[in-house]
Amino acid sequence: MLVAGLAVVSSVITFVIQQFIAGVPDFYDSIVTGLRDAQAWLESGPYGLDGAQVAEILADVQANITNWYGENQETIVQTGLSVAGSTASGLGNFVTGLFLVLFTTYFFIRDGRRIWTFLTGWLPRPATESLRYAGGAGWSTLVQYMRTVVVVAAVDAIFIGLGLWLLDIPLWLPLTTLVFLGAFIPIIGATVSGAVAVVVALVGTENGLVNALIVLGIVLAVQQLESNLLQPFLMSRAVKLHPLAIVLAVTAGGFVWGIVGALVAVPLLAIVNGTVRALNRFRDARREAQARGLEDGDATVEAAADGGDPIDAGERAARER
C-alpha cells in the first residue's frame, strides 16, 4: 500500500506538471494579448493617452528595468551561483531524508502499535495504562483530522476547478491542484490559492475583468460553503477546536516554521487537545470506579472516545462473552 500510494502521488504530480508546461505558452500569449488590450484602452479610454505617451511610459519602465539589471548584475550572478550550490547540497539531503522517511514510515505502519506499547512500557506502572489510552485518543484525533481535511480540500478543489474549467481559464488543472493543496492549511490556504486563481483569470483571459469577478464569486461561495457547513459539522467534530484557535495556530506556526509550520500547527494542536481530553476522561473514570469501591488493581477503566460511560473489567469481560 505504501508503494502503491507513492506511485499514485508521483503519477498525479507528473501529470499536473506536464499540463502546466503545456499550458504556459497559451498563458503567455493571453498575457501579451491582455497587455495590448490594456494599451488600446489607455489610448481610447477615459484617460485619452496617445500612442506616443504609452510608448514613452513603456520605454521608461524598460529603461528602469535595464538600469537595475546593469547595476545589480554581479550580485545576481553571485546569488545564482550560491543558490545552485545550495540546491545541489540540498538535493542530496532531500534524497537521504526521503529514503529515511520511507523506511521509518513503513515500520511505523507495520509495527506502530508494538512500538507504542514498548515505549509506554518504560513508564511507571500507574501511568502506563492512562498514557496508552491518551496516546491512542490523540492518534485517533489525528486520523479524523486528516480524513476531514481531505474531504474539505476535495470539495474546494472540485467546485473551484469546475468553475475554472467551464470558464476556460488557462492552467485550470494546476490551479485546481494548488487549491487542493492549499486547503490543507485551514481557512488561510484556500483563500490564498483562490486569490491566485483570480489573478490568473484577470491577466490570462480575453474578458479578464469579467472572468476574474466570476472566479472571485466562485471562490467566495466555496469559502462560505466551507466555513458555514463543512467546518462546523466536520472539522469541529473531528478536532473540537474553536475557529479562533485554528487561525492563531496557523499564524503562529507560519511565523515560527514557515509553510511547514502552518501545515503542522493545527494537527499538532488537535493531538494535544485530544490527548488532554482523553487523560481527563480516564481520570474521571478512575475516580468513579474508586467511588464504587473498586481498587485500582481490580478494575481496568475504559473511557470511550466519544465520552461514554466507563466500565470496569468485569462488565467488559461479560460483554465480550
Side-chain angles (χ1 to χ4, degrees), residues 15-105:
F15 178 72
V16 171
I17 292 175
Q18 290 177 349
Q19 293 295 315
F20 175 78
I21 295 174
V24 166
D26 293 337
F27 182 57
Y28 175 77
D29 294 338
S30 300
I31 293 177
V32 173
T33 303
L35 292 176
R36 291 175 181 172
D37 293 341
Q39 180 178 355
W41 180 80
L42 289 174
E43 294 176 1
S44 60
Y47 295 101
L49 300 177
D50 56 22
Q53 291 175 318
V54 174
E56 183 179 356
I57 293 174
L58 295 177
D60 291 340
V61 172
Q62 183 178 3
N64 291 331
I65 294 176
T66 303
N67 293 334
W68 178 87
Y69 178 77
E71 295 174 356
N72 299 275
Q73 184 175 5
E74 184 177 356
T75 303
I76 294 174
V77 173
Q78 292 178 353
T79 303
L81 294 176
S82 176
V83 169
S86 301
T87 302
S89 176
L91 183 61
N93 294 333
F94 172 78
V95 173
T96 303
L98 178 62
F99 279 104
L100 180 61
V101 167
L102 295 179
F103 183 80
T104 55
T105 300

Side-chain angles (χ1 to χ4, degrees), residues 7 15 20 31-32 46 80 99 112-113 115 138 152 187 190-191 211-212 214 234 253 257 261-262 285 288 310 316-317:
F15 178 72
F20 175 78
I31 293 177
V32 173
F99 279 104
R113 187 178 298 276
I115 294 174
V152 173
I187 300 175
T191 303
N211 289 334
I214 295 175
L234 294 180
W257 294 309
E288 183 176 346
R316 185 171 64 256

Side-chain angles (χ1 to χ4, degrees), residues 62 121 161 203 315:
Q62 183 178 3
V203 302
E315 292 175 349

Side-chain angles (χ1 to χ4, degrees), residues 44-205:
S44 60
Y47 295 101
L49 300 177
D50 56 22
Q53 291 175 318
V54 174
E56 183 179 356
I57 293 174
L58 295 177
D60 291 340
V61 172
Q62 183 178 3
N64 291 331
I65 294 176
T66 303
N67 293 334
W68 178 87
Y69 178 77
E71 295 174 356
N72 299 275
Q73 184 175 5
E74 184 177 356
T75 303
I76 294 174
V77 173
Q78 292 178 353
T79 303
L81 294 176
S82 176
V83 169
S86 301
T87 302
S89 176
L91 183 61
N93 294 333
F94 172 78
V95 173
T96 303
L98 178 62
F99 279 104
L100 180 61
V101 167
L102 295 179
F103 183 80
T104 55
T105 300
Y106 171 77
F107 284 102
F108 283 154
I109 293 175
R110 197 188 74 166
D111 303 324
R113 187 178 298 276
R114 287 193 295 174
I115 294 174
W116 176 244
T117 302
F118 171 75
L119 292 176
T120 54
W122 292 357
L123 300 172
R125 187 173 181 181
T128 301
E129 187 176 1
S130 59
L131 187 59
R132 283 178 180 173
Y133 171 74
W139 176 255
S140 177
T141 301
L142 177 62
V143 171
Q144 295 176 15
Y145 170 81
M146 292 306 302
R147 291 174 178 172
T148 304
V149 166
V150 170
V151 172
V152 173
V155 171
D156 290 347
I158 289 173
F159 284 100
I160 295 179
L162 181 62
L164 297 176
W165 176 70
L166 292 176
L167 293 173
D168 196 20
I169 304 299
L171 307 176
W172 70 269
L173 184 58
L175 289 174
T176 302
T177 307
L178 179 63
V179 171
F180 177 79
L181 296 177
F184 281 82
I185 302 178
I187 300 175
I188 298 176
T191 303
V192 174
S193 58
V196 174
V198 172
V199 173
V200 172
L202 178 63
V203 302
T205 58

Side-chain angles (χ1 to χ4, degrees), residues 191-270:
T191 303
V192 174
S193 58
V196 174
V198 172
V199 173
V200 172
L202 178 63
V203 302
T205 58
E206 293 183 1
N207 300 322
L209 182 59
V210 176
N211 289 334
L213 292 176
I214 295 175
V215 173
L216 178 61
I218 295 173
V219 171
L220 293 178
V222 172
Q223 291 298 312
Q224 290 299 315
L225 173 66
E226 176 184 340
S227 60
N228 294 315
L229 182 62
L230 298 180
Q231 291 285 350
F233 288 97
L234 294 180
M235 188 64 73
S236 297
R237 291 184 180 182
V239 300
K240 295 181 176 61
L241 293 176
H242 193 276
L244 179 60
I246 294 176
V247 173
L248 293 179
V250 172
T251 304
F255 275 119
V256 177
W257 294 309
I259 297 178
V260 176
L263 283 171
V264 304
V266 177
L268 182 60
L269 182 62

